[in-house]
Amino acid sequence: MSKILEIENLTVSFDGFKALNNLNFSMDSGELRVIIGPNGAGKTTFLDVITGKVQPTQGRVLFKGKNIQKLPEYKIARLGIGRKFQTPRVYLNLTVRENLDLVCNQNKNVFSTLFGRPNSGEQRTVAGLLETIGLDTKANLSANLLSHGEKQRLEIGMLVAQSPDLLLVDEPAAGLTDEETENVGALLLSLAESHSIVAIEHDMEFVRQIANDKVTVLHQGALLCEGTMEEVQNDPRVIEVYLGEAPE
Amino acid sequence: MNLEFETGIQRKQKERRYKLIEIAVILTAIIILAAILPSVIPAFRLRLIGRFLSLAIVALGIDLIWGYTGLLSLGHGIFFALGGYALAMYLKLQLPEAQIPSFFTLYGVQELPWIWQPFYSFPFTVLALFIIPGIVAGLIGYLVFRNRIKGVYFSILTQAALLVFYNFFNGQQELINGTNGLKTDTEQIFGVLVSSSGVQRTFYIITVIALFLVYLLCRWLTSGRFGRLLKAIRDDETRVRFSGYDPTGYKVLVFAISGAIAGIAGALYTVQTGIITPSIMQVAFSIEMVIWVAVGGRGTLIGAIIGTLLVRLAQTFLSESFPEIWLFFQGALFLIVVTVLPDGIVGWWQDYGWVKLRSLLGGNQPLVTYPSLAEDPDVQQERDSMSGN
Ligand SMILES: Nc1ncnc2c1ncn2[C@@H]1O[C@H](COP(=O)(O)OP(=O)(O)O)[C@@H](O)[C@H]1O
Ligand SMILES: [Mg+2]
């Protein structure tokens, strides 16, 4: 199976502090990979590097075998990497439908955005997505009136609208009620059928719900261990790292 | 499902109704401004209104870049002046064969500087008065936005650019008469004195038409996907990048258009004032432009026009009756707007005024909570089921 994402000897230092330390990572096309790790382990920084927000001090990032370092964020996004942020970031002054439509736009150059009109394919995509994320009755509602969980789902919908091959989701269950967490989990699982996904998570309950493939544990910017949920949970190093935290 | 269908249709109807109201209001305004006003008020008042309407045009440009795109420019005086100077230079050249504008002799200049040559042509001038400021704005924008300078730093840079232009124009006596500027009232256009009432009335009508066209342009730019992207850039530019858009191009284009609009405003203002000098590029004037938009309501377009007219009419009235208090009034006005009406007059009207008025008129009151919440189908359904029982 081909690799969708390969990361080689990645180091990111902020004024000498190594947020990522010689990290190696790779995942197959079609995989749903869960990354866990305590606070400050470098999980968000890891996504920052892949999406071009932070330049690595050392190392390479390959997407479908192509080196994507030094490309600006928007070009990386156009290559097919979509990112959901830790706190939901949707456009609050636009409606739910407009949020999706903006991302769905096939040609994102200035003049085609100015003169183009949404084609029927794009309209269908938006309508389909509204249903997938369960917000079809709120399509014309301004996004600032959505609940936290609905914003999370909308942002995931926006990712998909971008039609990326790789979805990066940063703590999608943070701050959600149990029911909403389950909704988001189910949404991710259904998306996993047609996308490669990296999901970063904190909440072990949620990880158990979605981790069918491999789980990667990050600790202090480096890879601690990797394996199935079962293996990872019983690994003594993982238990030690998580010991200070709530027992799972 | 059924519910969604109904609200969809209601929405369309409401949108159509608003559109009709808007068209009616605009047409009425144009008729009053262009057809009625010129025959009922004295010429010097008309000239004053013409100036205010020119200022409303630049306010639209500020609203485009600030209200919709979130970039607070404190340097629009540059583009305003460039438009004004372009037209003034053309008027200055309406002379008998082989003569050059008389101010040149003060500085011993014998030959027309090359930069003046193209302004013999009327078509060139008409294009130049918005294309030159547009290009200058585009260049400044490109340098700034490419380096991801935004927020306060952008505002400071635009103001610094304004100072550079201001000092440069002041120093160029041999080129554009320095501090004294260019007088247009005593010049001729197509053989008629610029300050004559016929020419002034024509400029007034052109101003009304220009304001209308610029308004339509801004409406077009701010609706649809492009307009929504501008708001997205304003609200969360980083997110926009991760969605595959490069915000730089959008910001450069909008800043250039905004600059071009300021150029048109500057040209019309100049001929209805009678003179243009570098003092038009004083910092206070560029800040005043921002105040008009803040008073009227950012991101509403119509608010920019209303704000400009209100502030300027108040200024005229107050400074005619009580010249010494105007500056205090202006400061107080800005403070009031920032603290009490952060969304400006139009923003306030949309949020509260309209609802109040409807309830006073005894109309139906679906908007018992926050307007948008009442449109929420879930809430609506809850209400219906409760009242249905
Ligand atoms: N821009 C930055 N400058 C300095 N330090 C940073 C920066 N971004 C992250 N860090 C540090 O890097 C470490 C990893 O952060 P992060 O990737 O956000 O962790 P996680 O998402 O796993 O909680 C933290 O100690 C954080 O303080
Ligand atoms: Mg994080």
Side-chain angles (χ1 to χ4, degrees):
Chain A
M1 196 172 252
S2 67
K3 296 281 180 204
I4 189 152
L5 186 66
E6 292 160 279
I7 283 170
E8 298 169 358
N9 303 322
L10 193 69
T11 298
V12 173
S13 54
F14 296 115
D15 304 321
F17 170 75
K18 286 184 175 165
L20 290 178
N21 192 357
N22 206 17
L23 180 72
N24 284 288
F25 175 92
S26 77
M27 66 180 272
D28 294 332
S29 272
E31 202 180 328
L32 165 59
R33 176 72 64 96
V34 181
I35 298 183
I36 60 173
N39 247 328
K43 303 180 300 288
T44 301
T45 308
F46 179 67
L47 298 192
D48 283 347
V49 175
I50 300 172
T51 51
K53 189 166 180 234
V54 164
Q55 283 300 320
T57 321
Q58 232 181 64
R60 295 205 302 167
V61 177
L62 302 179
F63 174 63
K64 296 192 209 160
K66 183 177 184 294
N67 191 344
I68 56 169
Q69 237 174 281
K70 303 235 158 66
L71 289 181
E73 297 96 320
Y74 75 92
K75 282 195 179 151
I76 293 178
R78 287 182 189 179
L79 281 178
I81 299 184
R83 172 173 187 183
K84 192 205 148 321
F85 288 86
Q86 201 164 335
T87 45
R89 282 168 85 167
V90 299
Y91 306 117
L92 297 175
N93 289 306
L94 301 181
T95 67
V96 171
R97 187 193 303 280
E98 288 169 347
N99 265 281
L100 291 172
D101 172 75
L102 208 54
V103 188
C104 191
N105 185 4
Q106 295 290 316
N107 193 336
K108 293 181 169 135
N109 296 319
V110 178
F111 290 101
S112 26
T113 305
L114 183 54
F115 296 107
R117 310 213 116 256
N119 61 42
S120 59
E122 289 167 357
Q123 282 169 354
R124 241 174 299 139
T125 311
V126 169
L129 274 171
L130 282 169
E131 217 155 294
T132 311
I133 59 174
L135 290 176
D136 42 351
T137 58
K138 300 194 172 180
N140 297 321
L141 211 59
S142 171
N144 60 1
L145 296 171
L146 297 181
S147 72
H148 184 72
E150 287 167 338
K151 283 180 191 152
Q152 295 277 34
R153 276 187 276 148
L154 173 57
E155 199 183 4
I156 294 176
M158 286 162 71
L159 279 202
V160 180
Q162 214 172 309
S163 52
D165 302 312
L166 176 63
L167 297 179
L168 308 173
V169 280
D170 200 349
E171 305 202 15
L176 296 189
T177 63
D178 289 350
E179 191 195 337
E180 285 171 335
T181 304
E182 221 175 303
N183 281 340
V184 168
L187 179 56
L188 281 182
L189 284 174
S190 75
L191 292 175
E193 286 164 17
S194 47
H195 299 84
S196 312
I197 301 182
V198 174
I200 284 180
E201 200 34 77
H202 220 76
D203 177 349
M204 280 306 187
E205 198 61 44
F206 184 68
V207 173
R208 272 185 217 107
Q209 185 191 348
I210 61 171
N212 297 330
D213 293 330
K214 264 200 238 171
V215 175
T216 299
V217 187
L218 277 190
H219 179 54
Q220 293 181 347
L223 196 123
L224 189 68
C225 74
E226 212 165 67
T228 63
M229 189 64 201
E230 192 84 14
E231 289 163 6
V232 163
Q233 260 180 316
N234 298 321
D235 190 301
R237 290 170 301 176
V238 177
I239 295 171
E240 195 190 315
V241 166
Y242 271 96
L243 213 57
E245 312 214 340
E248 292 295 336
Chain B
M1 226 45 248
N2 199 2
L3 201 68
E4 150 75 353
F5 185 61
E6 269 172 24
T7 53
I9 287 182
Q10 280 169 355
R11 241 179 104 76
K12 288 247 165 64
Q13 281 175 342
K14 209 161 80 184
E15 271 166 19
R16 193 170 311 142
R17 205 163 58 226
Y18 280 145
K19 200 149 236 168
L20 285 176
I21 293 175
E22 191 189 358
I23 292 171
V25 169
I26 291 175
L27 283 180
T28 317
I30 291 179
I31 290 170
I32 292 175
L33 286 172
I36 300 178
L37 226 48
S39 46
V40 296
I41 64 172
F44 79 98
R45 289 275 180 211
L46 193 69
R47 187 165 146 127
L48 196 66
I49 307 270
R51 288 217 301 265
F52 295 170
L53 295 175
S54 326
L55 296 177
I57 296 177
V58 69
L60 282 174
I62 299 266
D63 199 18
L64 197 58
I65 191 75
W66 182 39
Y68 285 90
T69 323
L71 300 160
L72 176 58
S73 165
L74 298 178
H76 262 52
I78 299 172
F79 318 122
F80 192 85
L82 287 172
Y85 270 95
L87 187 51
M89 282 161 80
Y90 167 79
L91 295 173
K92 278 282 174 204
L93 290 176
Q94 303 308 300
L95 298 163
E97 200 75 26
Q99 277 189 27
I100 62 172
S102 55
F103 75 85
F104 281 122
T105 56
L106 291 175
Y107 313 109
V109 177
Q110 304 293 332
E111 216 165 284
L112 194 67
W114 63 268
I115 206 162
W116 281 70
Q117 295 290 349
F119 290 95
Y120 275 117
S121 151
F122 184 69
F124 174 86
T125 305
V126 170
L127 292 176
L129 66 84
F130 67 91
I131 288 179
I132 291 176
I135 289 175
V136 172
L139 281 176
I140 295 176
Y142 178 72
L143 293 175
V144 173
F145 302 138
R146 196 193 46 167
N147 293 309
R148 300 201 181 178
I149 295 169
K150 47 184 183 178
V152 176
Y153 300 98
F154 170 75
S155 305
I156 292 173
L157 268 174
T158 52
Q159 190 155 105
L162 182 70
L163 286 171
V164 169
F165 273 82
Y166 177 58
N167 289 324
F168 177 78
F169 274 58
N170 266 327
Q172 295 301 310
Q173 276 148 342
E174 292 166 23
L175 199 61
I176 47 170
N177 205 14
T179 339
N180 302 321
L182 304 177
K183 228 172 149 196
T184 58
D185 257 359
T186 47
E187 306 303 330
Q188 300 198 334
I189 184 164
F190 302 127
V192 192
L193 196 66
V194 171
S195 59
S196 69
S197 64
V199 172
Q200 286 297 317
R201 179 178 298 205
T202 311
F203 276 128
Y204 172 83
I205 303 280
I206 292 174
T207 307
V208 174
I209 294 169
L211 178 61
F212 173 63
L213 292 179
V214 168
Y215 176 78
L216 287 188
L217 172 73
C218 291
R219 272 301 302 263
W220 176 63
L221 287 172
T222 55
S223 55
R225 261 182 187 163
F226 185 83
R228 294 196 286 271
L229 191 77
L230 298 185
K231 288 184 199 165
I233 290 175
R234 176 190 71 192
D235 294 346
D236 193 346
E237 185 174 342
T238 309
R239 188 82 192 78
V240 170
R241 291 181 198 279
F242 288 109
S243 302
Y245 287 97
D246 180 11
T248 309
Y250 290 87
K251 287 157 80 178
V252 169
L253 180 69
V254 172
F255 197 51
I257 293 175
S258 177
I261 290 173
I264 297 172
L268 292 167
Y269 184 81
T270 298
V271 289
Q272 294 176 87
T273 306
I275 187 167
I276 181 148
T277 70
S279 68
I280 207 80
M281 287 187 279
Q282 277 169 354
V283 171
F285 184 58
S286 290
I287 292 179
E288 207 193 318
M289 296 175 188
V290 172
I291 295 180
W292 303 329
V293 178
V295 168
R298 257 176 304 164
T300 59
L301 295 182
I302 197 76
I305 301 175
I306 292 174
T308 311
L309 298 182
L310 274 183
V311 174
R312 275 286 160 151
L313 285 171
Q315 179 181 18
T316 307
F317 171 72
L318 283 175
S319 55
E320 274 174 11
S321 334
F322 326 93
E324 60 292 335
I325 66 162
W326 162 246
L327 277 178
F328 294 102
F329 179 77
Q330 191 177 13
L333 185 69
F334 190 58
L335 283 179
I336 290 171
V337 166
V338 169
T339 53
V340 184
L341 296 178
D343 294 325
I345 295 168
V346 172
W348 173 83
W349 170 257
Q350 284 170 348
D351 287 351
Y352 305 102
W354 175 234
V355 182
K356 277 242 173 68
L357 186 74
R358 281 220 323 204
S359 66
L360 278 180
L361 294 177
N364 59 338
Q365 275 180 294
L367 312 174
V368 282
T369 56
Y370 235 110
S372 337
L373 200 63
E375 287 170 11
D376 185 331
D378 286 356
V379 175
Q380 210 60 270
Q381 201 165 24
E382 219 170 82
R383 267 164 48 107
D384 290 351
S385 63
M386 266 156 49
S387 60
N389 284 337

